[in-house]
Amino acid sequence: MSRFSFLLLLCIMSFGFQSHAQTASKWSSGFDWTKRAAAREKGRWSLSDWLAIKEKNQMMDQWLSLNSPSPYELMLGGSYLSYDKHVQDGSSPDKSATSFSGELAAYAQFVGLGLEYANINPENYSDLSGMFNLRLLGNSLQNTGFTLSYGMRTRDMTDTPATKLRQQFGQADLQLYLTKHFGLDIKYRYFLPTTNDQLGDVKEDYSEAGAFIDFKALRIFGAWYKESQKLTPAGSTVETITDRTGIKSGIKIFF
């Protein structure tokens, strides 16, 4: 092979390699099958992925169950009552007295039951109240909340003549935290009018406003309260109004 022929062959081979490289480069710039495969791989579902997600969800559920507050709540409280009794028509003298009361409340999320007992020895009667509570605002007994209640109170009077007075009532209770540990509590209870054989027609309402301080599960509270009772004996149009106004103080324990 002559030198001229050899040089011509090298030129042809060099031109062919260059043309092939340009064609390959042009093809790769327009379509990259490896990128599409990688994209499909990212969205691929597999059994191992599903098992990993399931295990992760189980661990999250376990953590939430251990760290979330229980939907069940219990409160136990005791109070000391110091009050003045005043009869507006002057049929009996004013008097000051003291007594004790206790209360119990149990909640499951936003519904609950309550029980109250007060032994008013100076006036020879005791009160037992049961109620159904519906919490419209708030998620616990130790949080800002608004609660409506409906219940029944039975007043057992042992004085002469002995009698029992049963009254249904509705109640609204607003609890407002001003800081993390200090707050206000405002309550109003309205008793439905009823008729008693010995007392005649009975109307009554109850108001309470106070403040409290929380020390973790312990609450110390104090409140001003007023109970107003109106009695109209059978066959009479004269209404006797009795007010009991005083201070209520005590403690509550939350479970």
Side-chain angles (χ1 to χ4, degrees):
M1 180 181 293
S2 65
R3 182 179 295 179
F4 176 78
S5 300
F6 179 74
L7 291 175
L8 181 61
L9 180 61
L10 286 178
C11 290
I12 294 173
M13 293 177 62
S14 176
F15 178 79
F17 286 142
Q18 184 178 2
S19 177
H20 176 73
Q22 291 177 352
T23 303
S25 176
K26 183 178 180 181
W27 173 261
S28 63
S29 64
F31 179 79
D32 189 349
W33 58 272
T34 59
K35 290 184 178 180
R36 294 192 62 186
R40 287 193 295 267
E41 182 180 352
K42 290 181 180 180
R44 184 178 300 150
W45 182 90
S46 66
L47 180 60
S48 61
D49 292 337
W50 180 78
L51 292 174
I53 293 174
K54 182 179 180 182
E55 182 178 0
K56 182 180 179 180
N57 290 338
Q58 288 177 346
M59 294 178 64
M60 292 176 62
D61 292 341
Q62 184 178 8
W63 184 90
L64 288 173
S65 65
L66 293 175
N67 293 276
S68 298
S70 171
Y72 303 104
E73 299 177 272
L74 184 67
M75 183 275 293
L76 181 64
S79 305
Y80 174 77
L81 309 177
S82 176
Y83 67 94
D84 295 323
K85 177 184 176 182
H86 172 69
V87 182
Q88 293 188 12
D89 64 0
S91 58
S92 63
D94 294 350
K95 64 182 300 184
S96 297
T98 60
S99 60
F100 298 90
S101 66
E103 58 182 318
L104 175 68
Y107 274 80
Q109 294 183 341
F110 58 90
V111 295
L113 298 176
L115 186 66
E116 297 177 355
Y117 177 77
N119 189 9
I120 316 297
N121 280 327
E123 297 188 60
N124 300 314
Y125 74 84
S126 62
D127 288 340
L128 179 62
S129 303
M131 68 190 79
F132 172 79
N133 304 316
L134 179 63
R135 185 162 53 208
L136 301 181
L137 176 65
N139 59 2
S140 74
L141 288 170
Q142 286 187 287
N143 200 354
T144 295
F146 180 69
T147 304
L148 295 180
S149 306
Y150 179 80
M152 169 75 76
R153 186 195 68 179
T154 299
R155 173 165 291 182
D156 188 3
M157 294 174 282
T158 58
D159 206 353
T160 304
T163 185
K164 288 183 182 291
L165 175 64
R166 293 183 174 88
Q167 288 179 281
Q168 302 178 57
F169 64 85
Q171 176 178 287
D173 187 357
L174 174 63
Q175 179 175 268
L176 178 64
Y177 274 82
L178 302 180
T179 67
K180 291 292 186 181
H181 305 286
F182 174 77
L184 304 176
D185 194 3
I186 302 173
K187 182 185 300 182
Y188 178 75
R189 181 178 294 184
Y190 176 76
F191 294 87
L192 298 181
T194 187
T195 301
N196 181 271
D197 293 338
Q198 282 77 28
L199 302 176
D201 296 333
V202 183
K203 300 177 182 178
E204 188 172 346
D205 66 343
Y206 175 90
S207 304
E208 180 181 314
F212 60 85
I213 299 177
D214 281 357
F215 299 94
K216 294 186 177 180
L218 174 66
R219 172 176 296 179
I220 299 176
F221 69 91
W224 170 91
Y225 74 94
K226 180 179 180 180
E227 177 186 346
S228 182
Q229 186 182 65
K230 300 176 182 179
L231 302 178
T232 304
S236 174
T237 58
V238 179
E239 187 177 64
T240 301
I241 302 177
T242 302
D243 292 330
R244 296 177 178 89
T245 306
I247 300 297
K248 178 180 181 181
S249 58
I251 62 172
K252 294 181 180 180
I253 303 175
F254 301 90
F255 301 92

